[in-house]
């Protein structure tokens, strides 16, 4: 099976929406992958995701555990690695 035949008939992939909350204004948000950024550090203390609140404009940074990292990377969120893999 080729890639072309595997995706034949597929018209469009639905946008993935992530739900997040703003700690400043308490807004409940639905964000697309391009509105989020994931930073993976060498420990759980340095692994987080961030976004800008669409309601109040606050820069939000929240810790990201293993499950959150898995969901965000699987949903196409851009990722920045803060440690060397060597």
């Amino acid at each position: 099976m080729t890639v072309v035949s595997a995706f034949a008939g597929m018209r469009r992939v639905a946008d993935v929406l992530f739900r997040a909350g703003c700690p400043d204004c308490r807004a409940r948000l639905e964000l697309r992958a391009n509105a989020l950024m994931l930073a993976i550090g060498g420990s759980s203390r340095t692994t987080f995701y961030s976004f800008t609140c669409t309601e109040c404009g606050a820069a939000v940074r929240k810790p990201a555990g293993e499950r959150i990292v898995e969901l965000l990377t699987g949903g196409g969120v851009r990722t920045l690695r803060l440690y060397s893999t060597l």
Side-chain angles (χ1 to χ4, degrees):
M1 176 181 280
T2 67
V3 172
V4 173
S5 65
F7 290 101
M10 181 180 267
R11 298 202 192 301
R12 185 187 123 132
V13 176
D15 288 333
V16 176
L17 291 176
F18 296 95
R19 292 186 181 160
C22 176
D24 288 355
C25 71
R26 302 214 183 275
R28 303 302 299 162
L29 308 169
E30 287 191 346
L31 303 166
R32 288 190 163 81
N34 64 358
L36 295 154
M37 195 273 299
L38 173 64
I40 300 177
S43 72
S44 60
R45 293 183 60 185
T46 58
T47 300
F48 61 91
Y49 66 99
S50 62
F51 59 92
T52 300
C53 177
T54 56
E55 296 293 319
C56 70
V60 179
R61 176 177 163 165
K62 293 189 171 190
E66 289 181 29
R67 181 70 177 136
I68 298 295
V69 169
E70 184 180 320
L71 290 170
L72 294 177
T73 55
V77 172
R78 63 200 148 134
T79 302
L80 174 65
R81 295 205 184 271
L82 301 176
Y83 65 94
S84 174
T85 57
L86 297 176

